């Protein structure tokens, strides 16, 4: 039995909770199952401790009767775990009722194998009511205030009904009553307290009142934890929604700072442009569904590599994308991660093209340009968040991506990035292997031609 309404107490269902999305429901289900499993294990540990303790309290073969009932309680705990689910469950209520009935049976019904034939009311002298608190405590692990509240009221009803049953049908020994009167005849209150046939209704009522109070307090506590769980699930859902539009590292920055992106700043960043060569021609000769399908497949593969290497997906550019490494905060290996990502993208394209050729589809040629240098970062949106990375480094990277056509390469990186990788990872960094240095190339945005490196000779 679990809850979805975030109100602090039953009876005030919140419509927002009634329409809880799949994220919240999945979180509730997960925590419910974890709580039920923990409750089952806690019960088994508690029962094991009690089972070991009982022979020391009453060393006799008749104690095996209670040991068997302890095993039955453990089995009921397992059954509760099996039938437990989020939401109200009649089967789960039934198993919980069976659980409480079994505890009441253990506490109130005399051991049929015991050699003593004492009055039934003598069972109250063993203070077995405290064992209900073990069941109550384990119930708090299910994150359901309904479970705790129902348990408190059911135990109260069972205990009082059991007292009435013992008073009406229980075995009575008048001889013991007369003996108590003879021993304490001058003290009627002592006779009343020590009468072996006395139910002690005042004590029984006191027990159930205290138990209900504890159950209500625990139910309120569990309800508060349940609200926190709902809030956490909602925050996770909002964070997941943010991740659809921002890179994970930007989402991380947004979630830990109140105004993380408004401050304009400048630092060195590795910038990457990725494009599909010949996409315009492809789009002109294929259906819109095929064009969109290709773009989705391409972007999904490239995007996954960007995120895998800790990059930020800055924006989609039709058939291409722009990514940055070192945003929103710089790292110690931004250039290395950018180049590693680019090399993996090339390998990813090779694998994808092999799959396309096997299906009789045309291969997709990608072009990637990577540069490293200073950029300006900040939120340029007036009414919505628009985190921008601008500057000449961005423009130069776009020109490097275009150089792949004339150099007959899939990847072109600037000399600046190449040496940044050497500083970060060493001159013999494996990721630098296979790159060929080209003579200085004219790049619009730079005053002088600059050397570049590519994955083709």
């Amino acid at each position: 039995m679990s809850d979805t309404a975030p109100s602090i107490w039953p009876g005030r269902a919140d419509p927002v909770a009634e329409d809880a999305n799949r994220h919240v429901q999945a979180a509730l289900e997960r925590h419910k199952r974890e709580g039920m499993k923990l409750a089952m294990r806690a019960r088994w540990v508690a029962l094991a401790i009690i089972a070991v303790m009982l022979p020391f309290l009453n060393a006799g073969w008749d104690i095996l009767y209670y040991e068997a009932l302890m095993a039955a309680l453990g089995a009921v705990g397992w059954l509760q775990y099996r039938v437990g689910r989020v939401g109200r469950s009649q089967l789960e209520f039934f198993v919980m009722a069976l659980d409480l009935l079994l505890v009441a049976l253990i506490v109130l019904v005399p051991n049929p194998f015991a050699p003593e034939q004492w009055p039934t009311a003598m069972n109250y002298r063993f203070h077995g009511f405290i064992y209900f608190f073990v069941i109550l405590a384990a119930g708090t692990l299910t994150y359901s205030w309904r479970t705790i509240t129902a348990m408190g009221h059911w135990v109260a009803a069972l205990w009082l009904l059991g007292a009435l049953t013992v008073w009406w049908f229980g075995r009575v020994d008048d001889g013991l009553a007369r003996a108590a009167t003879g021993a304490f005849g001058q003290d009627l209150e002592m006779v009343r307290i020590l009468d072996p046939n006395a139910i002690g209704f005042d004590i029984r009522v006191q027990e159930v009142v205290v138990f209900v109070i504890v159950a209500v307090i625990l139910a309120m506590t569990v309800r508060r934890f349940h609200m926190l769980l709902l809030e956490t699930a909602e925050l996770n859902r909002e964070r997941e929604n943010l991740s659809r539009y921002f890179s994970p590292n930007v989402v991380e920055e947004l979630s830990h700072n109140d105004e993380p992106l408004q401050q304009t700043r400048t630092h060195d960043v590795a910038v990457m442009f990725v494009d599909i060569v010949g996409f315009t021609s492809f789009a002109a000769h294929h259906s819109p569904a095929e064009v969109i399908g290709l773009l989705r497949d391409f972007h999904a593969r490239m995007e996954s590599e960007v995120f895998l290497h800790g990059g930020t997906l800055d924006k989609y550019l039709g058939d291409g994308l722009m990514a940055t490494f070192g945003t929103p905060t710089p790292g110690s290996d931004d250039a290395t991660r950018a180049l590693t990502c680019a090399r993996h993208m090339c390998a990813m394209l090779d694998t994808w093209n092999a799959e396309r050729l096997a299906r009789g589809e045309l291969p997709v040629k990608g072009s990637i340009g990577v540069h490293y240098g200073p950029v300006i970062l900040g939120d340029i949106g007036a009414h919505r968040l628009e985190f921008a990375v601008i500057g000449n480094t961005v423009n130069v990277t776009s020109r490097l991506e275009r150089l792949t056509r004339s150099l007959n390469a899939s990847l072109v990186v600037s000399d600046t990035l190449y040496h940044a990788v050497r500083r970060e990872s060493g001159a013999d960094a494996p990721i630098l292997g296979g790159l060929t240095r080209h003579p200085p190339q004219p790049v619009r945005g730079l005053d002088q031609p600059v050397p570049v490196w590519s994955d083709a000779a």
Side-chain angles (χ1 to χ4, degrees), residues 102-114:
L102 184 56
V103 177
L105 174 68
I106 296 173
V107 174
L108 292 177
V109 178
N111 186 343
F113 303 103

Side-chain angles (χ1 to χ4, degrees), residues 181 187-188 199 210 231 417 424 429 446:
T181 302
D187 192 335
L188 297 181
I199 304 299
V210 171
E231 292 176 3
L417 182 126
E424 294 174 356
L446 296 179

Side-chain angles (χ1 to χ4, degrees), residues 317-397:
L317 304 168
D319 59 322
L321 59 86
M322 171 184 165
T324 57
F325 297 79
T327 58
T329 55
S332 60
D333 59 345
D334 297 330
T336 302
R337 286 185 291 109
L339 181 56
T340 303
C341 177
R343 302 300 293 267
H344 284 203
M345 283 178 170
C346 293
M348 172 73 76
L349 285 173
D350 291 340
T351 302
W352 186 33
N353 283 329
E355 296 171 357
R356 290 179 60 85
L357 289 172
R359 296 193 299 265
E361 298 172 342
L362 295 175
V364 175
K365 180 175 175 56
S367 59
I368 305 172
V370 191
H371 184 36
Y372 185 78
V375 298
I376 301 172
L377 304 94
D379 177 15
I380 63 173
H383 301 292
R384 61 181 295 273
L385 178 64
E386 182 65 34
F387 181 63
V389 178
I390 57 178
N392 195 49
T393 298
V394 177
N395 299 330
V396 169
T397 309

Side-chain angles (χ1 to χ4, degrees), residues 409-433:
S410 298
L411 169 65
V412 170
V413 302
S414 66
D415 195 55
T416 305
L417 182 126
Y418 184 91
H419 287 286
V421 174
R422 286 169 61 98
R423 289 194 303 272
E424 294 174 356
S425 304
D428 56 348
I431 199 64
L432 295 173

